[in-house]
Amino acid sequence: MKILFGITGGIAAYKIPQVIRRLVQRGHEVEVVMTPAAAKLVSPFLLQTLSKRPVWVEDFDSRRPLAHIELADWCDVMVVAPATANTIAKLAWGMADNLLTSTFLACEKRKVIFPAMNVKMYENLLTKQNIQRLREVGCEVYEPEVGELACGYTGRGRLADEEVILGVVDRDPRKPLEGLRVVVSTGATVEPLDPVRYISNFSSGKMGIAFAKRLFSLGAEVLLVAGRTEIPLPLYIPSRRVQTTADMLRVIDDVMKDYDVLVMAAAPADFRAKEMAVEKIKREGKLSLDLVSNPDIVATIHEHYPEKRLIGFALEMKGHEGNAKEKMKRKGLEAIILNTVSSEFHPMGSDENEVVVYKASGEEISIPRLPKERVVEKVVDFLFFGEKA
Ligand code: CTP
């Protein structure tokens, strides 16, 4: 992807070289345009070295007299980070008084803005109205974070986290899944036995998180509902943390009216203690647990929302295909992704997976062992674009 990275003169500009380095490492072409104030904070020479392309600061640069038009035409996405209150005001009112602002005005591509400033400047109604104006004309403006600010104040104004900038920018500019709203459940639910012990399973959450990232990167609106996971949740995707299977059911049931699809990648604990012990169970001799069955989340969602698209997973040890297809039918799924545990391979916790996907329509696809992210790309292509490559 061709990324035009605009940097304005906020202190947070010192964080941008690392972001640019990581975008280049991901295979993107990144060209930098800076305001003269930003060039006082971060060396254009440093950015030129990291981006391996020229850096643009001056309005009348004899190397490229029409830089503002050419750069706007060249890029797939224009990013402004950090965006100061001053530049936000100029962008909102169509001013073009330096190379960055004139390029922004000439740019008809996807535009993403990450404000960073003093909390009082951010909360000033004028800044809020300017941000609103930018959103109304289709710019994506991401909220800064709350924290300690360079000016000494604490409040909302810190530049969004590096992972958020990378996740948001690294989105397919064509947004083929724009408008699709997807809930992705992930991780293992946890059922307490007493105040310090629980029953759960080995699910790491990796498949569900990979699903959420892939759908988000294709332009879908994604909500992650996560139990216990071994890896962190992506900060740029809205998420809800839950503990038990009943909690997960409650949250999904509550939000599903606003979503089109549920990808049920979580591994809910199938049993819970009939009664949770109030005190820590003592280690005296033998212990028998009285367990009861948990509700089936996806089957319940099917009953409550028969018109929604539900995609499930099946984890099987034997009788793979028959069991997966039976689960797909019983739970009202549009498709099921079969993972198989064998003596030679266990998908739970692994960074790799191999799956077979069955659609209720009868189509199917086998995906050989690959990193989970690659498997998910292929599954998403099959489920949402009907591609079997
Ligand atoms: N699932 C669910 N609620 C549960 C258990 C499972 O919604 N309480 C979902 C899983 O997220 C998955 C699908 O149902 O998408 C199949 O899960 P799996 O563990 O393979 O099947 P189970 O229904 O639990 O059946 P069994 O464990 O007997 O194979």
Short mmCIF file of all heavy atoms in Angstrom, two decimals, residues 11 38 52 61 84 100-101 106 128 130 146 159 185 209 242 251 269 296 308 330 355 366 369 372:
data_model
loop_
_atom_site.label_atom_id
_atom_site.label_comp_id
_atom_site.label_asym_id
_atom_site.label_seq_id
_atom_site.Cartn_x
_atom_site.Cartn_y
_atom_site.Cartn_z
N ILE A 11 4.70 17.33 20.18
CA ILE A 11 5.83 16.61 20.80
C ILE A 11 5.80 15.12 20.46
O ILE A 11 6.83 14.49 20.27
CB ILE A 11 5.83 16.82 22.34
CG1 ILE A 11 6.10 18.30 22.66
CG2 ILE A 11 6.85 15.95 23.05
CD1 ILE A 11 7.46 18.81 22.22
N ALA A 38 7.13 20.43 12.53
CA ALA A 38 7.48 19.03 12.79
C ALA A 38 8.95 18.78 12.46
O ALA A 38 9.63 18.01 13.14
CB ALA A 38 6.58 18.11 11.96
N LYS A 52 13.18 5.32 3.20
CA LYS A 52 13.91 5.06 1.95
C LYS A 52 13.32 5.84 0.79
O LYS A 52 13.40 5.43 -0.37
CB LYS A 52 13.94 3.56 1.62
CG LYS A 52 14.51 2.69 2.73
CD LYS A 52 14.57 1.23 2.28
CE LYS A 52 15.17 0.32 3.30
NZ LYS A 52 14.31 -0.02 4.42
N ASP A 61 9.37 23.42 -3.40
CA ASP A 61 10.57 22.59 -3.46
C ASP A 61 10.88 22.35 -4.93
O ASP A 61 10.07 21.75 -5.66
CB ASP A 61 10.28 21.27 -2.73
CG ASP A 61 11.52 20.43 -2.53
OD1 ASP A 61 12.40 20.45 -3.43
OD2 ASP A 61 11.62 19.77 -1.49
N THR A 84 -1.88 18.26 15.35
CA THR A 84 -2.04 19.28 16.39
C THR A 84 -3.40 19.97 16.24
O THR A 84 -4.04 19.88 15.17
CB THR A 84 -0.95 20.37 16.25
OG1 THR A 84 -1.05 20.90 14.93
CG2 THR A 84 0.43 19.81 16.48
N LEU A 100 1.79 20.22 3.80
CA LEU A 100 0.93 19.17 4.37
C LEU A 100 -0.55 19.53 4.20
O LEU A 100 -1.35 18.71 3.73
CB LEU A 100 1.27 18.96 5.85
CG LEU A 100 0.59 17.78 6.53
CD1 LEU A 100 1.48 17.23 7.64
CD2 LEU A 100 -0.77 18.11 7.09
N THR A 101 -0.91 20.76 4.55
CA THR A 101 -2.34 21.13 4.48
C THR A 101 -2.81 21.19 3.03
O THR A 101 -3.93 20.78 2.71
CB THR A 101 -2.61 22.46 5.21
OG1 THR A 101 -1.68 23.44 4.74
CG2 THR A 101 -2.50 22.33 6.71
N ALA A 106 -5.92 18.49 -1.41
CA ALA A 106 -5.93 17.95 -2.78
C ALA A 106 -6.19 16.44 -2.79
O ALA A 106 -6.37 15.85 -3.86
CB ALA A 106 -4.59 18.24 -3.45
N LYS A 128 -13.31 20.31 19.13
CA LYS A 128 -14.32 19.25 18.97
C LYS A 128 -15.14 19.49 17.70
O LYS A 128 -15.43 18.57 16.95
CB LYS A 128 -15.25 19.20 20.19
CG LYS A 128 -14.58 18.61 21.41
CD LYS A 128 -15.63 18.25 22.44
CE LYS A 128 -15.10 17.57 23.67
NZ LYS A 128 -14.17 16.52 23.54
N ASN A 130 -14.19 21.18 15.07
CA ASN A 130 -13.33 20.96 13.90
C ASN A 130 -13.22 19.48 13.58
O ASN A 130 -13.26 19.06 12.41
CB ASN A 130 -11.93 21.56 14.14
CG ASN A 130 -11.98 23.08 14.14
OD1 ASN A 130 -12.86 23.68 13.53
ND2 ASN A 130 -11.03 23.71 14.83
N VAL A 146 -5.94 8.68 27.03
CA VAL A 146 -5.85 9.39 28.31
C VAL A 146 -4.51 9.03 28.95
O VAL A 146 -4.11 7.87 28.90
CB VAL A 146 -7.01 8.95 29.23
CG1 VAL A 146 -6.88 9.58 30.61
CG2 VAL A 146 -8.35 9.30 28.61
N LEU A 159 -1.04 10.82 22.02
CA LEU A 159 -1.15 10.18 20.70
C LEU A 159 -1.57 8.72 20.87
O LEU A 159 -1.10 8.03 21.79
CB LEU A 159 0.22 10.25 19.99
CG LEU A 159 0.27 9.65 18.59
CD1 LEU A 159 -0.57 10.47 17.62
CD2 LEU A 159 1.70 9.55 18.08
N SER A 185 -16.17 -13.97 18.75
CA SER A 185 -15.87 -14.40 20.12
C SER A 185 -14.55 -15.16 20.08
O SER A 185 -14.22 -15.79 19.09
CB SER A 185 -16.99 -15.28 20.67
OG SER A 185 -16.94 -16.56 20.06
N ILE A 209 -8.69 -13.93 17.38
CA ILE A 209 -8.04 -12.62 17.25
C ILE A 209 -7.59 -12.41 15.80
O ILE A 209 -7.76 -11.33 15.23
CB ILE A 209 -6.89 -12.49 18.27
CG1 ILE A 209 -7.49 -12.37 19.68
CG2 ILE A 209 -6.00 -11.29 17.95
CD1 ILE A 209 -6.50 -12.42 20.82
N VAL A 242 -15.02 -11.14 29.03
CA VAL A 242 -15.99 -11.88 29.84
C VAL A 242 -15.28 -13.01 30.56
O VAL A 242 -14.16 -13.38 30.19
CB VAL A 242 -17.12 -12.47 28.95
CG1 VAL A 242 -17.95 -11.36 28.32
CG2 VAL A 242 -16.58 -13.41 27.89
N VAL A 251 -23.50 -11.21 26.91
CA VAL A 251 -22.96 -10.08 26.14
C VAL A 251 -23.32 -10.23 24.65
O VAL A 251 -23.80 -9.29 24.01
CB VAL A 251 -21.42 -9.97 26.33
CG1 VAL A 251 -20.82 -8.99 25.33
CG2 VAL A 251 -21.10 -9.54 27.75
N ALA A 269 -16.34 -22.96 28.09
CA ALA A 269 -16.30 -24.14 28.96
C ALA A 269 -17.70 -24.76 28.94
O ALA A 269 -18.69 -24.05 29.12
CB ALA A 269 -15.92 -23.71 30.37
N ASP A 296 -25.49 -23.67 25.28
CA ASP A 296 -24.75 -23.59 24.02
C ASP A 296 -24.98 -22.17 23.47
O ASP A 296 -26.11 -21.80 23.14
CB ASP A 296 -25.27 -24.65 23.04
CG ASP A 296 -24.35 -24.76 21.84
OD1 ASP A 296 -24.16 -23.74 21.13
OD2 ASP A 296 -23.79 -25.85 21.63
N LYS A 308 -29.64 -14.12 11.49
CA LYS A 308 -28.23 -13.68 11.49
C LYS A 308 -27.33 -14.78 10.92
O LYS A 308 -27.63 -15.97 11.04
CB LYS A 308 -27.77 -13.34 12.91
CG LYS A 308 -28.63 -12.32 13.61
CD LYS A 308 -28.28 -10.90 13.23
CE LYS A 308 -29.24 -9.93 13.91
NZ LYS A 308 -28.98 -8.54 13.69
N ARG A 330 -27.24 -28.69 13.65
CA ARG A 330 -27.90 -28.59 14.96
C ARG A 330 -27.87 -27.16 15.49
O ARG A 330 -28.81 -26.71 16.12
CB ARG A 330 -27.22 -29.56 15.94
CG ARG A 330 -27.68 -29.46 17.36
CD ARG A 330 -27.32 -30.73 18.17
NE ARG A 330 -25.95 -31.17 17.98
CZ ARG A 330 -24.93 -30.78 18.76
NH1 ARG A 330 -25.12 -29.95 19.75
NH2 ARG A 330 -23.71 -31.26 18.53
N VAL A 355 -7.27 -26.68 8.49
CA VAL A 355 -8.71 -26.79 8.72
C VAL A 355 -9.43 -27.23 7.45
O VAL A 355 -8.90 -27.13 6.34
CB VAL A 355 -9.33 -25.44 9.18
CG1 VAL A 355 -8.67 -24.92 10.45
CG2 VAL A 355 -9.27 -24.39 8.10
N SER A 366 -10.41 -27.25 1.84
CA SER A 366 -9.40 -27.74 2.79
C SER A 366 -8.23 -26.79 2.77
O SER A 366 -7.74 -26.43 1.70
CB SER A 366 -8.86 -29.10 2.35
OG SER A 366 -9.80 -30.07 2.61
N ARG A 369 -1.65 -27.01 6.48
CA ARG A 369 -1.07 -26.39 7.67
C ARG A 369 -0.27 -25.12 7.32
O ARG A 369 0.64 -25.15 6.50
CB ARG A 369 -0.17 -27.36 8.40
CG ARG A 369 0.12 -26.87 9.79
CD ARG A 369 0.83 -27.88 10.63
NE ARG A 369 0.18 -29.18 10.62
CZ ARG A 369 0.74 -30.26 11.17
NH1 ARG A 369 1.91 -30.17 11.76
NH2 ARG A 369 0.12 -31.42 11.13
N LYS A 372 -1.60 -19.37 11.57
CA LYS A 372 -3.04 -19.12 11.77
C LYS A 372 -3.53 -17.91 10.98
O LYS A 372 -4.64 -17.91 10.45
CB LYS A 372 -3.35 -18.98 13.26
CG LYS A 372 -3.41 -20.35 13.95
CD LYS A 372 -3.82 -20.30 15.41
CE LYS A 372 -4.05 -21.74 15.89
NZ LYS A 372 -4.16 -21.86 17.34
#
